[in-house]
Amino acid sequence: MSVSEHKKKQSAVKCMVITVSDTRTEETDKSGTTIKKLLLERNHQISDYKIVRDEKEAIRQAVESGIAKKDVEAVIINGGTGMAKRDVTIETVSPLFEKDMPGFGEIFRTLSYKEDIGSAAILSRATAGVANNTMVFSIPGSTGAVRLALHKLILPELSHIIKEIKKDL
């Protein structure tokens, strides 16, 4: 199957969007809004949307609620991926993974370096993996990082990833 045939066969994916922030509200959450907008533009569905504090328990509960729902096939988390002491998203989410997707973080950092923020890309700890047959992406909370991750990595492959996860179920 050619790349163009593969892209034509993409099916809608039911997504949950989680913003990790101590300061954002629905009105000020530019990154969460951007994720939802870009998903909807590609005919994906938003099953749930939450803003949670940058605290392990709040993040874990939000992600676990998403991966437990039948109407959520992918969870996209933005925020809490940096190096500050309060940035605990990666430490919270990674233990939930049954399968890691190391290429996501590697390629995201390469793209960030080349196309967005230069050497500051080394500070990103973006990651992805599968938890309870649900794809989970964890990306930085800046709107630039969100656009880069969605345009270059998540949107082109989201339907394909979900198809692969489900093929043995």
Side-chain angles (χ1 to χ4, degrees):
M1 182 183 315
S2 72
V3 172
S4 61
E5 289 172 324
H6 166 73
K7 300 299 178 201
K8 287 179 188 173
K9 292 188 177 196
Q10 291 189 352
S11 57
V13 174
K14 295 172 263 190
C15 302
M16 176 182 194
V17 177
I18 301 172
T19 294
V20 176
S21 175
D22 291 335
T23 59
R24 293 184 188 167
T25 65
E26 285 193 39
E27 295 77 34
T28 63
D29 182 17
K30 290 180 186 173
S31 294
T33 299
T34 299
I35 294 169
K36 292 187 294 182
K37 177 181 174 275
L38 293 173
L39 287 167
L40 292 171
E41 284 176 359
R42 286 286 192 84
N43 299 316
H44 296 298
Q45 300 167 16
I46 309 300
S47 300
D48 201 358
Y49 164 67
K50 294 179 189 241
I51 299 174
V52 299
R53 294 189 58 80
D54 217 334
E55 296 169 356
K56 282 186 173 189
E57 188 61 22
I59 298 165
R60 187 186 58 73
Q61 284 179 0
V63 174
E64 286 182 341
S65 79
I67 65 175
K69 293 179 180 177
K70 291 192 186 321
D71 69 340
V72 174
E73 298 171 297
V75 175
I76 303 174
I77 307 160
N78 76 95
T81 64
M83 300 301 292
K85 187 172 182 93
R86 294 227 13 106
D87 291 329
V88 295
T89 301
I90 304 305
E91 291 77 11
T92 305
V93 172
S94 294
L96 301 175
F97 294 164
E98 293 137 15
K99 290 189 180 278
D100 289 316
M101 186 184 284
F104 175 79
E106 294 162 0
I107 295 170
F108 175 78
R109 282 180 283 282
T110 300
L111 290 169
S112 294
Y113 175 76
K114 290 180 177 180
E115 298 184 19
D116 193 20
I117 58 173
S119 61
I122 66 172
L123 297 170
S124 172
R125 299 184 304 136
T127 192
V130 178
N132 195 35
N133 299 311
T134 305
M135 189 62 224
V136 178
F137 296 98
S138 185
I139 58 179
S142 76
T143 307
V146 162
R147 283 192 188 103
L148 181 69
L150 268 84
H151 284 300
K152 296 285 187 160
L153 298 172
I154 296 173
L155 290 172
E157 294 301 325
L158 187 57
S159 295
H160 181 208
I161 292 166
I162 300 308
K163 180 181 172 193
E164 288 296 311
I165 291 170
K166 290 182 169 187
K167 77 178 180 183
D168 295 334
L169 298 179

